[in-house]
Amino acid sequence: MEKRETKETKEMLEHQDSLDMMAEMVRKVSLEHPALLASPVRMELTERLARRVTWAHLALRELLDHKWGSKDCLNGEVNLFSGHIVVSDNLKDVDGDYICLPNDHNAYPTRIQNAKLRLEDVNDAKGKNIPCAACVVRDRSIIFTFTDTTTCPQKWSVEYVGFLASNPENPGENICVDTATSNGLLTYPSKDLAVIATGSYNAYDAYKQQDAVSCVVCSI
């Protein structure tokens, strides 16, 4: 295991050195020859740099994932921060996404006058904050949420299982909420987050109205 980590670290440093050299070359060319800023040469250099960045990102195989409804990351993942879910309090913000707000707030926030948009906590029926976490998943290239199932495809790994949920007053973003929290939402939905149920549109005989829509977050 130590040899593998040493090899991966060495490769990562080599990739970073190459990217730094490419970026410095583009910067020098831009400073010494301003006319090339919008030229095909500049575009070609930029495209090459972008390709190197993309390739290096895939080589590192690290992804950022949000755990909705849980403050913990899986074993082996890096917990960037734990927090709680918040959402915009503007009723017109129908497409407002849920945000995982860190529990450690900015100690010196900048004040603004006459704010038009504010964040409010997403609480459960008992008034408690619904937790979340930002996690770095290693050795994975794809993270995807599969709905209406609790199992991942073959060769995929389960990140967590839950129920699909959204804002009942202003439906916008749908998120997969961990069963640790969503089980409670089945009986007592909050005003900002409720489990989604199947409806009459569903053509499958196996489903009935009011069946909760399950979900599973998978990675590979």
Side-chain angles (χ1 to χ4, degrees):
M1 185 65 180
E2 292 182 358
K3 290 183 178 180
R4 179 186 174 189
E5 291 179 349
T6 301
K7 181 180 179 181
E8 290 179 348
T9 302
K10 181 179 179 181
E11 291 177 350
M12 182 179 67
L13 293 175
E14 290 176 350
H15 298 328
Q16 187 61 51
D17 289 341
S18 298
L19 293 175
D20 291 342
M21 291 175 61
M22 183 72 73
E24 181 64 18
M25 181 177 67
V26 173
R27 188 186 70 83
K28 286 184 177 181
V29 170
S30 300
L31 292 176
E32 296 174 2
H33 305 281
L36 293 177
L37 283 174
S39 70
V41 175
R42 161 79 176 190
M43 293 176 63
E44 175 63 21
L45 290 175
T46 303
E47 289 177 359
R48 287 185 181 182
L49 179 60
R51 286 197 294 269
R52 293 299 296 272
V53 171
T54 301
W55 183 86
H57 173 72
L58 291 175
L60 294 177
R61 291 173 62 83
E62 291 186 347
L63 296 173
L64 176 62
D65 181 35
H66 280 106
K67 295 289 190 300
W68 301 109
S70 174
K71 64 180 179 61
D72 300 315
C73 299
L74 296 180
N75 290 335
E77 297 180 354
V78 178
N79 187 315
L80 295 181
F81 65 85
S82 294
H84 59 281
I85 304 175
V86 298
V87 69
S88 169
D89 69 349
N90 188 348
L91 296 180
K92 296 181 180 180
D93 189 15
V94 295
D95 293 324
D97 292 342
Y98 290 105
I99 299 172
C100 187
L101 191 71
N103 289 327
D104 296 328
H105 297 304
N106 183 0
Y108 304 99
T110 301
R111 300 284 181 176
I112 62 174
Q113 300 293 329
N114 303 317
K116 300 297 183 182
L117 291 172
R118 297 177 179 83
L119 296 177
E120 65 177 17
D121 294 336
V122 176
N123 298 327
D124 60 20
K126 297 181 180 179
K128 294 183 178 180
N129 293 154
I130 295 180
C132 58
C135 311
V136 175
V137 184
R138 291 177 171 170
D139 296 324
R140 297 287 187 270
S141 298
I142 301 173
I143 292 180
F144 188 78
T145 299
F146 292 87
T147 57
D148 200 26
T149 183
T150 57
T151 58
C152 294
Q154 188 175 4
K155 296 184 179 180
W156 289 62
S157 299
V158 175
E159 294 297 317
Y160 67 94
V161 176
F163 290 104
L164 203 62
S166 186
N167 191 320
E169 296 184 356
N170 298 289
E173 182 186 19
N174 299 327
I175 58 175
C176 187
V177 181
D178 192 291
T179 51
T181 294
S182 56
N183 279 338
L185 293 175
L186 289 173
T187 307
Y188 301 105
S190 73
K191 72 180 185 68
D192 294 317
L193 191 64
V195 172
I196 299 174
T198 57
S200 58
Y201 67 87
N202 202 308
Y204 298 100
D205 294 335
Y207 297 97
K208 299 178 181 179
Q209 292 190 38
Q210 302 303 315
D211 283 347
V213 180
S214 57
C215 55
V216 57
V217 178
C218 308
S219 62
I220 188 172

